[in-house]
Each structure stands twice: as structure tokens, then as C-alpha cells.
Amino acid sequence: MTTPAGSVPTVASGVLETAFPTREQYVATVAGYRDDGFEMCADLCAVDYLTHPGRRLPEGVAPERFEVVVNLLSLSAARRLRVRVQVPETDARVPTIFDLYPGVEAMEREAFDLFGIVFDGHPDLTRILMPEEWEGHPLRKDYGVGRVPVQFKEAPGPR
Amino acid sequence: MTEHGDDFFPLPGHAAEAPFLAAETSEGDQELTPRSTTGAGELRREVGAVLRLPEGVAVDPSDIDVERSDDETMIINMGPQHPSTHGVLRLMLELDGETVLRTKPVIGYLHTGMEKTGEELTFVQGATNVTRMDYLSPLNNELVFSLAVEALLGVEAPERAQWIRMLMSELNRVSSHLMWMATNGMDLGSTSMMIYGFREREMVLAFFEKTTGLRMNHNYIRPGGVAADLPDGWEDDVTVICDTVLPRTYEYDELLTGQPLFRQRSVGIGRLSAEEAVALSLTGPILRSTGIPWDLRRSMPYLRYDEVDFDVIVGTYGDNFDRYSIRLNEIRESIRIIRQIVEKMPAGDYRLQDKKVTPPPRARIDESMEALIHHFKVFTEGFRVPEGEVYVAVESPRGELGCYMVSDGGSKPYRMHIRGPSFVNLQGLPLMMRGGLVADAVAVCSSVDPVMGEVDR
């Protein structure tokens, strides 16, 4: 690997390996994995850990509010690999990996649309699912789900 | 009006609002900009997203041999209400005469926030939610959801449940591909194919109704197993389906495969290379049409696919005709799998007998207080799933259907992300349509087989 592999904490459970690069190491790590034979980026999504900060992370990885999760796939070796990047709330940006995997174009737009994470260098970072003039990013945990008013029901439930 | 500047009274707050609005909408609009003002970044996305390959193949925007100037191209909207876009898909096409230059799929018209909804529903209720995403293969959606929950729980459904799931998802593949044959035939002007496709699909749906109670959105495959055992005489029903559909696929051959008009509309149209398909994360029949034998059922087997015998259908040219042949032959392969399942179906439980995960049998509730409590708990509070995160993928009729699920130890998923194959596959459209005709755009869009319920979720 051409990346600073020694400094990227990885966790292997069973056959699946998970890497936890920092934002600075992110692109280099993914590029290294692509050169290692992970030809396809199967999935990219984000998670908002606002109400669940105490998740299990390896030593040396400071939990942040957001996490960008990339699922890489090696067609030749039939293997999967996961890359999880911590993204702080105050500066919710990560570099894009569009240059490595053009297929993440729509997925990064989706993560931007629903979480408000900015992918630096993405060629067309616009909303993809929500209307263009929409305010807020719905999949954030502090974004309410809304509620349909129900007759004869005093207590406002979650919906 | 020399004193216009003095008389002009700006609306209060007008000046303050303008930059605010600009800031709010600085994400840009989803329009195709005029060719003269299209920046490098935007061109890179439209052309480059599909041509900037890992090998660094240079992009030549003038690779299409048409005489054009900026003011001779025309941008038209196809959809979102166009009958050929298979739902509310909007395509912006830049045309030069009849030649398609650039294409931009605009989606989101069917966005219902299902991932957000999924965080509000318990793991028991979740299957009801995900089944509505890809409404043409609902059982695959339930399957991937259930597999993800089971992976987090660390349990595995009983043997019979695995085989029932396999039977149902293969039948679902048959019905989904038949539906595709029908709509694709319709898009290419073959009304007979549409009637035939729906006719055969009806048989499969009738079996689904008999087994699950519903024709669509079954909520049949649930965490821990399936909702109910197969009905009596299911072997006969399934065999009748196989014996009817299989010979009819050869009738489709006569109707379409060798027909000159159909071949002219599909051979060599919407071509895609293997490198492009991999770079764009395309999966399913689109990826296989380019010659890559990637099928999760074979490459990374789940359920009991390693115990049945079937072929992975692979194309050569990556064009519409290959995608058509792959889907037609996959119907036959699915029928082959279904026949083996009928032979090999084991006896046993159709769902896990774990009181903490699955409800007790109805009869037990009448006689056991404990069973009643468990039943009540499962359907009100749901069951708790250990903390963790998992990504599970299955081969849906459209490609890799993945589910990334995070649990915080509660009874609801902390995050449930579905990787919809159509959502990703739509990215191939601009490349497939480039340089083709408008009439072919309909055929190409159809050959991607997008289901908007899954694209927008």
C-alpha cells in the first residue's frame, strides 16, 4: 500500500476489514485500497452519531458526530472492505473520492443532501433527493420526523 | 425620471434578503447550463463522471461526430411524467437534431424519507417499510433487511426458512424480469410482449398472494425467518408456474429475439464497457452485460445459493440486446433454481424459535402466560439488537441491493441505509445515451430497469 498504512487503525472481524483513517488520510487510504484490487465502491453513506456517541471505536480514533462510511468491493477477490471516516460537526467536510471512483457521484450527493456533509472537490454537489430550496438536512438526528395531527390525542407522539 | 434614484424606495429588508437567499440556494440548481457557460467542473461531471476512468482516459467532449454549434443544441425535458421513464424520472437531454449529447437524470420526485422512517420503526416493523422501496422485487428488500438484522443479532434463520426465502426471492426475480420484459417490449413498440409479460407475472403474483396474503409489499420475510409456512400444495403451484413460464420464454424468443425490428432497436444501442461499468459502480444485469461474471449469488453466496446449480449469464457487448438476453435467460436460470428448491426443500421450522426475536405460535398464546407476554413485547416494544454496524448485500433483480445498518442497542435501527441498485445504475445513463438517438433514449432508459421507489426511497 502506498498509504501511511501503519498509521491508519484497522479492525478485522472475521473476513471483513474496517479502516478508520482520519480526514487527511482518507483519500490516500482509499486510493491505496483501490490499487490493492478493490475496483468498485459499492456504497457510500453517512451516519449521524449525535445521540449515540459512545460507540465502539479502535484505540486512537476520536469519535465525532458524523461518520462517512465507504463500502469497497473487490470483484477479483470477492472481498468487501469498509472505510469509516470521522467528520466533526463544526467542520462537516471531507474530500471527495470522485476522482478514484466516479460512481460515488450520486452517493456523495445523497450524503450531502441528507446530512449536510460537504464533499470538497465534488463536481456537482447539489441536492439530489430533496427539493432544491429545502432547508435542513433530514437524516440528521436533530431533524424531526414531523407529525400527523390525530384527533383526540393529547400527547404529541413522535409521529 | 432623473430623480428615479431618489424616488425609488426599496422594500424593507430587500437588500438584506437577497444575499440570504443566495446563500440558501448556493448549492446550485439542478439545471443543464448552456453549453457556452458550462464550467469545467460541470462538464467533468456530465461527461467526466462517466469518462474519467481510473486509467485516466482523456475526455474529448467532441467525440460525437455531429455538426453543432452552441445555439443549435436544444435542451428538452423527458419526464417526470413521461410514460417511458418507468415512474417519475426526469431526464434532461441536450439534443442536436435527434442526437443526444448530454443527459442529466433528475430524481427525487418520489422521495418519501424511508430511511428516516426506518429509524422510527422497530426491527419488527422495519420489513414493512423497506418492502415498499423496490416495489417490483419487495421480497428482496425484506430479505436484505432481515439478513442485516440477523447479522447484528448473531442468529441465523432455520434451514427451511433459508430455502423458503430463496424460493420466494427467485420467484420474485422471475416476476420482476417478466415485468421488465413487458415494459421493455412496450417501450420498443411490442404491445403483445407487454400483455404476455403481465400475463405470466400474474401467475407468480397469485402464488405470492396465496403464500403471503398480498400481491405486493408482502412483509413476508422477517428477521428470524418468514411470516408463515408455505401453503399446502405449494410444490404443485410452483411447478405449474415453472412449466408455464419456461416454454413461454421460448415464445418470447420467437416474438422478439430474432425479430429484425427488435434487433435494430437494441443491438449496439447503449453500449458500455466493463471499465466504465465498474468505475460507475454499476451492478446487476448491466455489469454482467459488459462481460464481468459478477453475481452475488455466485461470487459471495448468501442463503443456500452455494447448494443449487445455476449459471451466471454474461454478455459481451454491453448493449441493450445483451441486457435483454441476460434478463430473459435469468428467468430460465431462476426457474432452474426453483425446480431444485422444490426438490430440496427441507422440513422444519419456518422461523426461529427464539422468544426474544420472533413471536410465539398463535396456539401457545392461549395456554401460556409467558408466551402472551413475549408476544406482547415483540409487537409493542420489539426486540433489542446488540450494538454494532453491518453491511449486507444481496443480488436483487436490478443489482447489488445493500443494507448498512447501525444499532445502538435499542429496538429500533439507529441508522438504516439501503443501497438501491437502480439509484446507482442511473449514473450510467449519460454515458449509455451519449451519441444515440432520442428514440433510443427510451430504449436505454428501459434497459437500465430503474424502479423509482428504490431510486428515491
Side-chain angles (χ1 to χ4, degrees), chain A residues 105-106 109 124, chain B residues 30-33 35 38 41-51 61 63-64 68 73-79 84-85 89-96 98-107 269-272 280 425-446 448 450:
Chain A
E105 197 258 330
R109 274 177 75 190
D124 182 31
Chain B
Q30 304 181 349
E31 302 294 325
L32 269 179
T33 48
R35 180 164 286 271
T38 302
E42 178 69 3
L43 258 184
R44 194 171 74 130
R45 193 200 71 80
E46 287 167 358
V47 182
V50 288
L51 294 180
D63 58 340
I64 304 173
R68 64 163 180 271
T73 62
M74 176 174 64
I75 294 174
I76 63 162
N77 269 313
M78 195 168 112
S84 298
T85 53
L89 170 65
R90 173 175 157 213
L91 294 172
M92 304 183 77
L93 305 170
E94 187 192 32
L95 303 178
D96 176 80
E98 281 217 51
T99 310
V100 179
L101 303 179
R102 292 185 287 162
T103 311
K104 188 167 186 173
V106 181
I107 62 173
I269 307 289
R271 288 192 63 169
L272 205 63
L280 287 171
N425 286 353
L426 271 186
Q427 295 186 98
L429 270 185
L431 181 59
M432 290 190 225
M433 287 188 180
R434 189 164 168 77
L437 301 175
V438 186
D440 293 336
V442 173
V444 169
C445 180
S446 167
V448 172

Coordinates of all heavy atoms in Angstrom, one line a residue, chain A residues 105-106 109 124, chain B residues 30-33 35 38 41-51 61 63-64 68 73-79 84-85 89-96 98-107 269-272 280 425-446 448 450:
Chain A
E105 N -20.6 9.6 -7.3 CA -21.1 10.9 -7.6 C -22.5 11.1 -6.9 O -22.7 12.0 -6.1 CB -21.2 11.1 -9.1 CG -21.4 12.6 -9.5 CD -22.8 12.9 -9.9 OE1 -23.5 12.0 -10.4 OE2 -23.2 14.0 -9.7
A106 N -23.4 10.1 -7.2 CA -24.7 10.3 -6.7 C -24.8 10.0 -5.2 O -25.5 10.6 -4.5 CB -25.7 9.3 -7.4
R109 N -23.6 13.0 -3.3 CA -24.7 14.0 -3.3 C -25.8 13.6 -2.3 O -26.4 14.5 -1.7 CB -25.3 14.1 -4.7 CG -24.5 15.0 -5.6 CD -25.1 15.0 -7.0 NE -26.3 15.7 -7.1 CZ -27.1 15.7 -8.2 NH1 -26.8 15.0 -9.2 NH2 -28.3 16.4 -8.2
D124 N -20.3 18.4 -8.6 CA -21.7 18.9 -8.7 C -22.4 18.6 -7.4 O -23.3 17.7 -7.4 CB -22.4 18.2 -9.9 CG -23.8 18.8 -10.1 OD1 -24.0 19.9 -9.8 OD2 -24.7 18.0 -10.5
Chain B
Q30 N -30.5 22.3 -10.2 CA -30.3 21.1 -11.0 C -30.6 21.3 -12.5 O -31.5 20.7 -13.0 CB -31.1 19.9 -10.4 CG -30.8 19.7 -9.0 CD -31.6 18.5 -8.4 OE1 -32.5 18.0 -9.1 NE2 -31.3 18.1 -7.2
E31 N -30.0 22.2 -13.1 CA -30.3 22.5 -14.5 C -29.1 22.2 -15.3 O -28.0 22.2 -14.9 CB -30.6 24.0 -14.6 CG -31.7 24.5 -13.7 CD -33.1 23.9 -14.1 OE1 -33.3 23.7 -15.4 OE2 -33.9 23.7 -13.3
L32 N -29.4 22.0 -16.6 CA -28.3 21.9 -17.5 C -28.0 23.3 -18.0 O -28.8 24.0 -18.5 CB -28.7 21.0 -18.7 CG -28.5 19.5 -18.7 CD1 -29.0 18.9 -20.0 CD2 -27.0 19.2 -18.6
T33 N -26.8 23.7 -17.7 CA -26.5 25.1 -18.1 C -26.2 25.1 -19.6 O -25.9 24.1 -20.2 CB -25.2 25.5 -17.4 OG1 -24.2 24.5 -17.5 CG2 -25.5 25.7 -15.9
R35 N -24.3 25.5 -23.0 CA -23.0 24.9 -23.3 C -21.9 26.0 -23.2 O -20.8 25.7 -22.7 CB -23.0 24.4 -24.8 CG -21.7 23.8 -25.2 CD -21.9 23.0 -26.5 NE -22.6 21.7 -26.2 CZ -21.9 20.6 -25.9 NH1 -20.6 20.7 -25.8 NH2 -22.6 19.5 -25.6
T38 N -21.1 26.4 -19.4 CA -20.8 25.3 -18.6 C -19.4 25.2 -18.2 O -18.5 25.3 -19.1 CB -21.2 24.0 -19.4 OG1 -22.6 24.1 -19.8 CG2 -21.0 22.8 -18.6
G41 N -15.9 22.1 -14.3 CA -16.4 21.1 -13.3 C -17.7 20.4 -13.7 O -17.8 19.2 -13.5
E42 N -18.6 21.2 -14.2 CA -19.9 20.6 -14.6 C -19.7 19.6 -15.8 O -20.3 18.6 -15.8 CB -20.8 21.7 -15.0 CG -22.2 21.3 -15.5 CD -23.0 20.7 -14.4 OE1 -22.6 20.6 -13.2 OE2 -24.1 20.2 -14.7
L43 N -18.9 20.1 -16.7 CA -18.6 19.2 -17.9 C -17.9 17.9 -17.4 O -18.2 16.8 -17.9 CB -17.7 19.8 -18.9 CG -18.4 20.4 -20.1 CD1 -17.3 21.0 -21.0 CD2 -19.2 19.3 -20.8
R44 N -17.1 18.0 -16.4 CA -16.4 16.9 -15.9 C -17.4 15.9 -15.2 O -17.3 14.7 -15.3 CB -15.4 17.3 -14.8 CG -14.4 16.2 -14.5 CD -13.3 16.8 -13.6 NE -13.8 17.0 -12.2 CZ -13.2 16.6 -11.1 NH1 -12.1 15.9 -11.2 NH2 -13.6 16.8 -9.9
R45 N -18.4 16.5 -14.6 CA -19.4 15.6 -14.0 C -20.2 14.9 -15.1 O -20.5 13.7 -15.0 CB -20.4 16.4 -13.1 CG -21.2 15.5 -12.2 CD -22.4 16.2 -11.7 NE -23.4 16.4 -12.8 CZ -24.2 15.5 -13.2 NH1 -24.2 14.3 -12.7 NH2 -25.1 15.7 -14.2
E46 N -20.7 15.7 -16.1 CA -21.6 15.1 -17.0 C -20.9 14.1 -18.0 O -21.3 13.0 -18.2 CB -22.3 16.2 -17.8 CG -23.3 16.9 -17.0 CD -23.7 18.2 -17.7 OE1 -23.2 18.5 -18.7 OE2 -24.6 18.9 -17.1
V47 N -19.8 14.6 -18.5 CA -19.0 13.8 -19.4 C -18.0 13.0 -18.6 O -17.8 11.8 -18.7 CB -18.4 14.6 -20.5 CG1 -17.7 13.7 -21.5 CG2 -19.4 15.4 -21.2
G48 N -17.3 13.8 -17.7 CA -16.2 13.2 -17.0 C -16.6 12.2 -16.0 O -15.9 11.2 -15.8
A49 N -17.8 12.3 -15.4 CA -18.2 11.3 -14.4 C -18.2 10.0 -15.0 O -18.0 9.0 -14.4 CB -19.6 11.6 -13.8
V50 N -18.5 9.9 -16.3 CA -18.5 8.7 -17.0 C -17.3 8.4 -17.8 O -17.1 7.2 -18.1 CB -19.8 8.6 -17.8 CG1 -21.0 8.5 -17.0 CG2 -19.9 9.8 -18.7
L51 N -16.5 9.4 -18.1 CA -15.4 9.1 -18.9 C -14.0 9.2 -18.2 O -13.0 8.7 -18.6 CB -15.3 10.0 -20.1 CG -16.5 9.8 -21.1 CD1 -16.4 10.8 -22.2 CD2 -16.5 8.4 -21.6
P61 N -14.8 16.1 -25.3 CA -16.2 16.4 -25.4 C -16.8 16.3 -26.9 O -18.0 16.3 -27.1 CB -16.3 17.8 -24.9 CG -15.1 18.0 -24.1 CD -14.1 17.1 -24.7
D63 N -16.3 14.0 -29.0 CA -16.1 12.6 -29.5 C -17.3 12.2 -30.4 O -17.2 11.2 -31.1 CB -16.0 11.6 -28.4 CG -17.1 11.6 -27.4 OD1 -17.9 12.6 -27.4 OD2 -17.3 10.6 -26.7
I64 N -18.4 12.9 -30.3 CA -19.5 12.6 -31.1 C -19.4 13.3 -32.4 O -19.2 14.5 -32.5 CB -20.9 12.9 -30.4 CG1 -20.9 12.2 -29.1 CG2 -22.0 12.5 -31.3 CD1 -22.1 12.6 -28.3
R68 N -22.3 20.8 -34.9 CA -23.2 21.5 -34.0 C -22.5 22.8 -33.6 O -21.3 23.0 -33.6 CB -23.5 20.7 -32.7 CG -22.2 20.4 -31.9 CD -22.6 20.0 -30.5 NE -21.4 19.7 -29.8 CZ -20.8 18.5 -29.7 NH1 -21.3 17.6 -30.4 NH2 -19.7 18.4 -29.0
T73 N -28.0 23.4 -30.3 CA -28.5 22.4 -29.5 C -29.7 22.8 -28.7 O -30.0 24.0 -28.5 CB -27.4 22.0 -28.5 OG1 -27.1 23.1 -27.6 CG2 -26.1 21.5 -29.2
M74 N -30.5 21.8 -28.3 CA -31.7 22.1 -27.6 C -31.8 21.2 -26.4 O -31.4 20.1 -26.4 CB -32.9 21.8 -28.6 CG -34.2 21.9 -28.0 SD -35.5 21.6 -29.2 CE -35.3 20.0 -29.7
I75 N -32.2 21.8 -25.3 CA -32.4 21.0 -24.1 C -33.8 20.7 -23.8 O -34.7 21.7 -23.8 CB -31.8 21.8 -22.9 CG1 -30.3 21.9 -23.1 CG2 -32.1 21.0 -21.6 CD1 -29.6 22.8 -22.0
I76 N -34.2 19.5 -23.8 CA -35.6 19.2 -23.5 C -35.7 18.3 -22.3 O -34.7 17.6 -21.9 CB -36.3 18.4 -24.7 CG1 -35.6 17.1 -25.0 CG2 -36.3 19.3 -25.9 CD1 -36.4 16.2 -25.8
N77 N -36.8 18.3 -21.7 CA -37.1 17.5 -20.5 C -37.9 16.3 -20.9 O -38.9 16.4 -21.6 CB -38.0 18.3 -19.5 CG -37.2 19.0 -18.5 OD1 -36.2 18.5 -18.0 ND2 -37.5 20.3 -18.3
M78 N -37.4 15.2 -20.5 CA -38.2 13.9 -20.7 C -38.6 13.5 -19.3 O -37.8 13.2 -18.5 CB -37.3 12.9 -21.4 CG -38.1 11.7 -21.9 SD -37.1 10.7 -22.9 CE -37.0 9.2 -22.0
G79 N -39.9 13.6 -19.1 CA -40.4 13.3 -17.7 C -40.6 14.5 -16.9 O -40.4 15.6 -17.5
S84 N -42.5 6.6 -20.6 CA -41.4 5.7 -20.9 C -40.3 5.7 -19.8 O -39.3 5.0 -19.9 CB -40.7 6.0 -22.2 OG -41.7 5.8 -23.2
T85 N -40.4 6.6 -18.8 CA -39.3 6.7 -17.8 C -39.6 5.9 -16.6 O -38.9 6.0 -15.6 CB -39.2 8.2 -17.4 OG1 -40.4 8.7 -17.0 CG2 -38.7 9.0 -18.5
L89 N -39.1 9.7 -13.2 CA -37.8 10.0 -13.5 C -37.8 11.1 -14.6 O -38.5 11.1 -15.6 CB -37.0 8.8 -14.1 CG -35.6 9.0 -14.7 CD1 -34.7 9.5 -13.7 CD2 -35.1 7.8 -15.4
R90 N -37.0 12.2 -14.3 CA -36.9 13.3 -15.2 C -35.5 13.2 -15.9 O -34.5 13.2 -15.2 CB -37.1 14.6 -14.5 CG -36.9 15.8 -15.4 CD -37.3 17.0 -14.6 NE -36.6 18.2 -15.1 CZ -36.2 19.2 -14.3 NH1 -36.4 19.2 -13.0 NH2 -35.7 20.3 -14.8
L91 N -35.5 13.2 -17.2 CA -34.2 13.3 -17.9 C -34.1 14.6 -18.7 O -35.0 14.9 -19.4 CB -34.1 12.1 -18.9 CG -34.1 10.7 -18.3 CD1 -34.2 9.7 -19.4 CD2 -32.8 10.5 -17.6
M92 N -33.0 15.3 -18.5 CA -32.8 16.4 -19.3 C -31.8 16.0 -20.4 O -30.7 15.5 -20.1 CB -32.1 17.5 -18.4 CG -33.0 17.9 -17.2 SD -32.3 19.2 -16.3 CE -32.7 20.6 -17.3
L93 N -32.3 16.2 -21.6 CA -31.5 15.8 -22.7 C -31.1 17.0 -23.5 O -31.9 17.9 -23.8 CB -32.3 14.9 -23.6 CG -33.0 13.6 -23.0 CD1 -33.9 13.0 -24.0 CD2 -31.9 12.6 -22.6
E94 N -29.8 17.0 -23.8 CA -29.3 18.0 -24.8 C -29.2 17.4 -26.1 O -28.5 16.4 -26.3 CB -27.9 18.6 -24.4 CG -27.5 19.7 -25.2 CD -26.0 20.1 -25.0 OE1 -25.2 19.2 -24.8 OE2 -25.7 21.2 -25.2
L95 N -30.0 18.0 -27.0 CA -30.1 17.3 -28.4 C -29.5 18.2 -29.4 O -29.6 19.4 -29.4 CB -31.6 17.1 -28.7 CG -32.4 16.3 -27.7 CD1 -33.9 16.3 -28.2 CD2 -31.9 14.9 -27.6
D96 N -28.9 17.5 -30.4 CA -28.5 18.2 -31.6 C -29.3 17.5 -32.7 O -29.0 16.3 -33.1 CB -27.0 18.1 -31.8 CG -26.6 18.7 -33.2 OD1 -26.5 19.9 -33.2 OD2 -26.5 17.9 -34.1
E98 N -31.6 15.0 -33.7 CA -32.1 13.8 -32.9 C -31.0 13.1 -32.1 O -31.3 12.1 -31.5 CB -32.7 12.8 -33.9 CG -34.1 13.2 -34.4 CD -35.0 12.0 -34.6 OE1 -35.0 11.2 -33.6 OE2 -35.6 11.9 -35.6
T99 N -29.8 13.7 -32.1 CA -28.7 13.1 -31.4 C -28.7 13.6 -30.0 O -28.7 14.8 -29.8 CB -27.4 13.4 -32.1 OG1 -27.6 13.1 -33.5 CG2 -26.3 12.5 -31.6
V100 N -28.5 12.7 -29.1 CA -28.4 13.0 -27.7 C -27.0 13.3 -27.4 O -26.1 12.5 -27.6 CB -28.9 11.9 -26.8 CG1 -28.8 12.3 -25.3 CG2 -30.4 11.6 -27.1
L101 N -26.7 14.5 -26.8 CA -25.3 14.9 -26.5 C -25.1 14.6 -25.0 O -24.3 13.8 -24.6 CB -25.0 16.3 -26.8 CG -25.3 16.7 -28.3 CD1 -24.9 18.2 -28.5 CD2 -24.3 15.9 -29.2
R102 N -25.8 15.4 -24.2 CA -25.6 15.2 -22.7 C -27.0 14.8 -22.1 O -28.0 15.2 -22.6 CB -25.2 16.5 -22.1 CG -23.8 17.0 -22.5 CD -23.4 18.2 -21.7 NE -24.1 19.4 -22.2 CZ -24.2 20.5 -21.5 NH1 -23.7 20.6 -20.3 NH2 -24.8 21.6 -22.0
T103 N -26.9 14.1 -21.0 CA -28.1 13.7 -20.3 C -27.9 13.9 -18.9 O -26.8 13.7 -18.4 CB -28.3 12.2 -20.5 OG1 -28.3 11.9 -21.9 CG2 -29.7 11.8 -20.0
K104 N -28.9 14.4 -18.2 CA -28.8 14.5 -16.8 C -30.1 13.9 -16.1 O -31.2 14.5 -16.3 CB -28.7 16.0 -16.4 CG -28.4 16.3 -15.0 CD -28.0 17.7 -14.8 CE -27.5 18.0 -13.4 NZ -27.0 19.3 -13.2
P105 N -29.9 12.9 -15.4 CA -31.1 12.3 -14.7 C -31.4 13.2 -13.5 O -30.5 13.5 -12.7 CB -30.7 10.9 -14.3 CG -29.3 10.7 -14.8 CD -28.8 12.0 -15.2
V106 N -32.6 13.6 -13.3 CA -33.0 14.4 -12.1 C -34.0 13.5 -11.4 O -35.0 13.1 -11.9 CB -33.6 15.7 -12.5 CG1 -34.0 16.5 -11.3 CG2 -32.6 16.5 -13.3
I107 N -33.7 13.2 -10.1 CA -34.5 12.3 -9.3 C -35.0 13.0 -8.1 O -34.7 14.2 -7.8 CB -33.8 11.0 -9.0 CG1 -32.6 11.3 -8.1 CG2 -33.3 10.3 -10.2 CD1 -31.9 10.1 -7.6
I269 N -27.0 -0.6 -29.2 CA -27.6 0.6 -28.6 C -27.2 0.7 -27.1 O -27.3 -0.3 -26.4 CB -29.1 0.7 -28.8 CG1 -29.5 0.4 -30.2 CG2 -29.6 2.0 -28.2 CD1 -29.2 1.6 -31.1
G270 N -26.8 1.8 -26.7 CA -26.5 2.0 -25.3 C -25.3 1.2 -24.8 O -25.4 0.5 -23.8
R271 N -24.2 1.2 -25.6 CA -23.1 0.4 -25.2 C -22.3 0.9 -24.0 O -22.2 2.1 -23.8 CB -22.2 0.2 -26.4 CG -22.8 -0.7 -27.5 CD -21.8 -1.1 -28.5 NE -20.7 -1.9 -27.9 CZ -19.8 -2.5 -28.6 NH1 -19.8 -2.4 -30.0 NH2 -18.9 -3.2 -28.1
L272 N -21.7 0.0 -23.3 CA -21.0 0.3 -22.1 C -19.8 -0.7 -22.0 O -20.0 -1.8 -22.4 CB -21.9 0.1 -20.9 CG -21.7 0.9 -19.7 CD1 -21.8 2.4 -19.9 CD2 -22.7 0.5 -18.6
L280 N -18.3 3.1 -12.5 CA -19.5 3.8 -12.1 C -20.3 3.0 -11.1 O -21.4 3.3 -10.8 CB -20.4 4.1 -13.3 CG -19.9 5.2 -14.2 CD1 -20.7 5.2 -15.5 CD2 -20.0 6.5 -13.5
N425 N -27.3 2.6 -10.6 CA -27.3 2.3 -12.0 C -27.7 3.5 -12.9 O -27.3 3.5 -14.1 CB -28.2 1.1 -12.3 CG -27.6 -0.2 -11.8 OD1 -26.5 -0.2 -11.4 ND2 -28.4 -1.2 -11.9
L426 N -28.5 4.4 -12.4 CA -28.9 5.5 -13.2 C -27.8 6.4 -13.6 O -27.8 7.1 -14.6 CB -29.9 6.4 -12.4 CG -31.4 6.0 -12.5 CD1 -32.2 7.1 -11.8 CD2 -31.8 6.0 -14.0
Q427 N -26.6 6.3 -12.9 CA -25.5 7.1 -13.2 C -24.9 6.7 -14.6 O -24.1 7.4 -15.2 CB -24.4 6.9 -12.2 CG -24.8 7.5 -10.9 CD -23.6 7.4 -9.9 OE1 -22.9 8.4 -9.7 NE2 -23.4 6.3 -9.3
G428 N -25.2 5.5 -15.0 CA -24.7 5.0 -16.3 C -25.5 5.6 -17.5 O -25.0 5.6 -18.6
L429 N -26.6 6.2 -17.2 CA -27.5 6.7 -18.3 C -26.8 7.7 -19.2 O -26.8 7.6 -20.4 CB -28.8 7.3 -17.8 CG -30.0 6.4 -17.6 CD1 -31.2 7.2 -17.2 CD2 -30.3 5.7 -18.9
P430 N -26.1 8.8 -18.7 CA -25.5 9.8 -19.6 C -24.5 9.1 -20.5 O -24.4 9.6 -21.7 CB -24.8 10.7 -18.6 CG -25.5 10.6 -17.3 CD -25.9 9.1 -17.3
L431 N -23.8 8.1 -20.1 CA -22.8 7.5 -21.0 C -23.5 6.6 -22.0 O -23.1 6.6 -23.2 CB -21.8 6.7 -20.1 CG -20.7 6.0 -20.9 CD1 -19.9 7.1 -21.7 CD2 -19.8 5.3 -20.0
M432 N -24.5 5.9 -21.6 CA -25.1 5.0 -22.5 C -25.9 5.7 -23.6 O -26.0 5.3 -24.7 CB -26.1 4.1 -21.7 CG -25.5 3.1 -20.8 SD -26.7 1.9 -20.3 CE -26.4 1.8 -18.6
M433 N -26.4 6.9 -23.2 CA -27.2 7.6 -24.2 C -26.4 8.5 -25.1 O -26.9 8.9 -26.1 CB -28.2 8.5 -23.4 CG -29.3 7.8 -22.8 SD -30.5 8.9 -22.2 CE -31.7 7.8 -21.5
R434 N -25.2 8.8 -24.7 CA -24.4 9.7 -25.4 C -24.2 9.3 -26.9 O -23.7 8.2 -27.2 CB -23.0 9.9 -24.8 CG -22.2 11.0 -25.3 CD -21.1 11.3 -24.3 NE -20.1 12.2 -24.9 CZ -20.3 13.5 -25.1 NH1 -21.4 14.0 -24.7 NH2 -19.4 14.2 -25.7
G435 N -24.6 10.2 -27.8 CA -24.4 9.9 -29.2 C -25.5 9.1 -29.8 O -25.5 8.8 -31.0
G436 N -26.5 8.7 -29.0 CA -27.6 7.9 -29.6 C -28.7 8.8 -30.0 O -28.6 10.0 -30.0
L437 N -29.8 8.2 -30.4 CA -31.0 9.0 -30.9 C -32.0 9.1 -29.7 O -31.9 8.4 -28.8 CB -31.6 8.3 -32.1 CG -30.7 8.1 -33.3 CD1 -31.5 7.3 -34.4 CD2 -30.3 9.5 -33.8
V438 N -32.9 10.1 -29.9 CA -33.9 10.3 -28.8 C -34.7 9.0 -28.7 O -35.0 8.6 -27.5 CB -34.8 11.5 -29.2 CG1 -35.7 11.7 -28.0 CG2 -34.0 12.7 -29.5
A439 N -35.1 8.4 -29.8 CA -35.9 7.2 -29.7 C -35.1 6.1 -28.9 O -35.7 5.3 -28.2 CB -36.2 6.7 -31.1
D440 N -33.8 6.1 -29.1 CA -33.0 5.1 -28.3 C -32.9 5.4 -26.9 O -32.7 4.6 -26.0 CB -31.6 5.0 -28.9 CG -31.6 4.4 -30.3 OD1 -32.6 3.7 -30.6 OD2 -30.7 4.7 -31.1
A441 N -33.1 6.7 -26.6 CA -33.0 7.1 -25.1 C -34.1 6.4 -24.4 O -33.8 5.9 -23.2 CB -33.2 8.6 -25.0
V442 N -35.2 6.2 -25.0 CA -36.3 5.5 -24.3 C -35.9 4.0 -24.1 O -36.1 3.5 -23.0 CB -37.6 5.6 -25.2 CG1 -38.7 4.7 -24.6 CG2 -38.1 7.0 -25.2
A443 N -35.3 3.5 -25.1 CA -34.9 2.1 -25.0 C -33.8 1.9 -24.0 O -33.8 0.9 -23.2 CB -34.4 1.6 -26.4
V444 N -32.8 2.8 -23.9 CA -31.7 2.7 -23.0 C -32.2 2.9 -21.6 O -31.9 2.1 -20.7 CB -30.6 3.8 -23.3 CG1 -29.6 3.9 -22.2 CG2 -29.9 3.5 -24.6
C445 N -33.1 3.9 -21.4 CA -33.6 4.1 -20.0 C -34.3 2.8 -19.6 O -34.2 2.4 -18.4 CB -34.6 5.2 -20.1 SG -35.3 5.6 -18.5
S446 N -35.1 2.2 -20.5 CA -35.8 1.0 -20.2 C -34.8 -0.2 -19.8 O -35.1 -0.9 -18.9 CB -36.7 0.6 -21.3 OG -37.2 -0.7 -21.1
V448 N -32.0 0.0 -18.4 CA -31.4 0.1 -17.1 C -32.4 -0.5 -16.0 O -32.0 -0.9 -14.9 CB -31.1 1.6 -16.8 CG1 -30.7 1.8 -15.4 CG2 -30.0 2.0 -17.7
P450 N -34.9 1.0 -14.1 CA -34.9 1.7 -12.8 C -36.3 1.6 -12.2 O -37.3 1.6 -12.9 CB -34.6 3.2 -13.2 CG -35.1 3.3 -14.6 CD -35.0 1.9 -15.2

